[in-house]
Amino acid sequence: MIAGCHPSLSSPAAAPEVASSRYLFVWAGDADKRESDFLAVVDVDRHSPTYAEVITTLPVGAVGTLPHHTEYEMPPGGMLWANGFAAGRTFRLDLRDPTRPRLAGSFGDAGPFSHPHSFARLPGGNVLATFQHRADGERAGTGGLVELDTAGRVVRYAPADAPEIDSTVRPYSLVVVPALDRVVTTATDMHLQLRSRAVQVWRLSDLALLHTLLLPPGPRGDENWLTAEPRVLADGRTVLVNTFTCGLYRLRGLEGDAPWAESVYSTPWAEGRNCAVPVVAGRFWLQTSGAEHSVVSLDISNSGRPREVARLTLQPDQVPHWIALEPSGHRLVITGYRELAPWVLLADLDRATGALEIDTTFKAPGAAQAGVYFGRDQWPHGPTGPAVPHGVVFARP
């Protein structure tokens, strides 16, 4: 259901319409860790007779990798990177023909670093990746930032160590800001053995680590811990960063010698019910809120004063975690934890108001609940049993 108000603001200038996506690419792990983890291709063309069906799958030949992040959106060229975090491996998935996906290769450690986490495409086509740890021991030490070519070969790297400021940094996610020659990374340890409130600022051109900022407390007092996901806004220069403890921060002065962070918004937080992956949709920031079992829509026309305009509220024990936006900007895909763990949901986004509504037609024929259910026994690749989806992106039209 939808709760919240709709703003009475004039609509932004009309942008060229982008066609809807035909497919959804879902990175999933075998639930009992006995069979291979896999990529599933789901039909999301509303006019198709196979709408909401899993039309094909690609087992990657690896078991128990803990499929985690894919890239946050499908890159040009049809090659998607996806990490199996527990295995410390990245899989390169050739999706140029979505009906016949192919594994193009995989890789593990890069330079002195292990356990890749998040990926960002650079303007020239290479990939910048965060690596959580050093490779000289399991979960040992602070990792770094690595640029890789399209085949996964190391181009350059830089360590993220800042022991004099925060020894708990474990590079988590990132955003590239070419207009400012900057990269922003967050620092949460995937294993949650350490808790950081650091955000790091790098120079893109040479991967020099320029600043390690410690987020200040927000109005609740504890929303500055577990830095999560940075995103650049539509102006190409402003960066917002959220935390798993449900704070939202704006970074100021990124191009200068003394950047700083300011708290601009927060929502309730509960242990195990974190805020997580956000997306920017024009003038709206869409944010998962685990404690509220919701996706919250904020108007960020004034990025220093985000304002809630709508929210999509799920069932009480459905905890949304991952969201991704369709290239057209009209639909959102949602995966998560607890009762949401075996499901992939679609929601429609009103680009004028920021309102969200579950697509109740996105389901198997005769199913009572909306969504594609991954708790099934049968898959196109065989009877391998239930799976858990995580990273999901829409295909490019």
Side-chain angles (χ1 to χ4, degrees), residues 138-153:
E138 185 179 0
R139 304 181 186 176
T142 296
L145 201 54
V146 183
E147 180 179 345
L148 304 119
D149 68 15
T150 55
R153 296 177 294 235

Side-chain angles (χ1 to χ4, degrees), residues 36-238:
S36 175
D37 299 326
F38 62 93
L39 180 91
V41 181
V42 179
D43 187 342
V44 291
D45 178 0
R46 282 192 169 109
H47 304 293
S48 169
T50 56
Y51 185 55
E53 290 186 16
V54 177
I55 59 171
T56 191
T57 50
L58 172 67
V60 296
V63 176
T65 70
L66 184 63
H68 194 56
H69 279 208
T70 61
E71 295 177 70
Y72 294 108
E73 60 185 23
M74 188 68 201
M79 302 289 289
L80 180 69
W81 288 23
N83 91 47
F85 186 81
R89 297 205 67 77
T90 297
F91 299 89
R92 297 187 301 113
L93 307 171
D94 183 348
L95 305 175
R96 287 174 289 185
D97 180 350
T99 64
R100 294 179 177 83
R102 186 178 68 87
L103 180 63
S106 68
F107 62 88
D109 297 349
F113 305 125
S114 72
H115 288 80
H117 188 274
S118 293
F119 314 104
R121 293 279 166 165
L122 297 173
N126 282 354
V127 177
L128 203 58
T130 52
F131 281 70
Q132 286 245 295
H133 307 294
R134 295 196 65 84
D136 52 2
E138 185 179 0
R139 304 181 186 176
T142 296
L145 201 54
V146 183
E147 180 179 345
L148 304 119
D149 68 15
T150 55
R153 296 177 294 235
V154 174
V155 175
R156 54 181 180 156
Y157 58 81
D161 301 86
E164 70 287 355
I165 301 173
D166 185 353
S167 62
T168 68
V169 167
R170 299 295 182 264
Y172 185 84
S173 188
L174 76 165
V175 71
V176 177
V177 193
L180 301 179
D181 190 29
R182 293 291 185 266
V183 180
V184 175
T185 60
T186 54
T188 290
D189 175 24
M190 263 285 289
H191 307 290
L192 293 180
Q193 294 182 340
L194 304 168
R195 296 200 169 200
S196 175
R197 56 189 179 100
V199 171
Q200 296 186 299
V201 181
W202 312 66
R203 188 164 50 230
L204 175 60
S205 53
D206 62 1
L207 292 192
L209 177 58
L210 302 177
H211 309 282
T212 298
L213 311 176
L214 299 181
L215 297 184
R220 202 181 63 235
D222 61 355
E223 58 268 71
N224 52 338
W225 293 98
L226 302 179
T227 56
E229 298 285 347
R231 296 289 185 269
V232 64
L233 304 190
D235 64 1
R237 305 173 70 88
T238 303

Side-chain angles (χ1 to χ4, degrees), residues 42 52 54 339-345 362-364 367 369-379 386-387 389:
V42 179
V54 177
E339 288 186 3
L340 190 57
W343 292 93
V344 176
L345 306 181
F362 185 65
K363 61 182 180 181
Q369 180 172 330
V372 172
Y373 184 55
F374 273 59
R376 66 185 68 185
D377 294 325
Q378 294 287 336
W379 297 96

